[in-house]
Amino acid sequence: MGFGDLKSPAGLQVLNDYLADKSYIEGYVPSQADVAVFEAVSGPPPADLCHALRWYNHIKSYEKEKASLPGVKKALGKYGPANVEDTTESGATDSKDDDDIDLFGSDDEEESEEAKRLREGRLAQYESKKAKKPALVAKSSILLDVKPWDDETDMAKLEECVRSIQADGLVWGSSKLVPVGYGIKKLQIQCVVEDDKVGTDMLEEQITAFDEYVQSMDVAAFNKI
């Protein structure tokens, strides 16, 4: 098992063929298996080895976070197609230890394959859940001060006009009249908006359009939710 000498054209060809139908060395997400093989490659594969080059450039983009990638890095000879002789140093060491072969077989390899299967299944479930997770919608709570022209302005009608403004991502809340002096009261009204859909400029433009009742509009408070 292995890729052979990944610093040689023959080894890179094996890597390219191996990646023809795979995105990663193991599993469905970048892992320590990719890091181990990436570090064994001396540089970008030639352009004619398109699968290996695509993989190399993709793994290179994880350079700053490779230590946090999942999995445990194994000897290079533990990765790759089974029909290729491992010519790495670890492979040579393994062959020197042939005298220690367990004639009764070992469950280690079977257990390792089972652990690998479980890990890949969990990674696939995680990626699936992450893809289905709804995107966070940024919202803000805004308190508006809407001032009338004078003390004779019909404030009930003014509020009715303000609340008549409807838009996707806009929800009107509570309101009250606040004295400002000389018998004049302003409308203080709360609303919640989705930031990508509704802005204070739009609210001001539409509220001040009721110029029969509204003199001006100010933002009294603005808080991210």
Side-chain angles (χ1 to χ4, degrees), residues 38 44 54-65:
F38 179 87
R54 175 258 306 158
W55 167 85
Y56 181 92
N57 290 332
H58 181 54
I59 301 304
K60 186 178 180 181
S61 69
Y62 289 91
E63 186 70 26
K64 294 182 180 179
E65 52 194 290

Side-chain angles (χ1 to χ4, degrees), residues 163-197:
R163 290 186 181 274
S164 71
I165 299 171
Q166 300 294 318
D168 185 26
L170 169 64
V171 178
W172 293 109
S174 60
S175 65
K176 63 180 179 179
L177 297 178
V178 180
V180 294
Y182 304 102
I184 301 174
K185 295 180 179 180
K186 65 182 178 182
L187 173 68
Q188 198 165 75
I189 186 167
Q190 190 92 25
C191 66
V192 174
V193 302
E194 293 184 21
D195 296 347
D196 290 341
K197 298 178 180 179

Side-chain angles (χ1 to χ4, degrees), residues 84-158:
V84 176
E85 181 181 358
D86 176 19
T87 59
T88 62
E89 183 178 350
S90 60
T93 303
D94 289 344
S95 49
K96 289 179 183 178
D97 294 335
D98 284 348
D99 293 338
D100 297 328
I101 293 176
D102 180 3
L103 296 178
F104 296 98
S106 171
D107 292 333
D108 289 350
E109 183 176 349
E110 182 178 345
E111 292 173 355
S112 175
E113 288 298 319
E114 178 67 13
K116 172 183 170 184
R117 185 183 66 79
L118 288 173
R119 184 181 73 250
E120 291 179 355
R122 287 169 182 163
L123 287 172
Q125 288 178 357
Y126 170 75
E127 289 296 319
S128 176
K129 287 180 180 178
K130 188 167 69 171
K132 293 178 181 177
K133 187 177 181 181
L136 183 65
V137 178
K139 295 183 178 181
S140 299
S141 175
I142 306 175
L143 184 64
L144 301 175
D145 281 347
V146 184
K147 297 176 183 176
W149 286 107
D150 51 39
D151 60 341
E152 295 182 358
T153 301
D154 186 341
M155 297 303 292
K157 187 64 178 177
L158 184 150

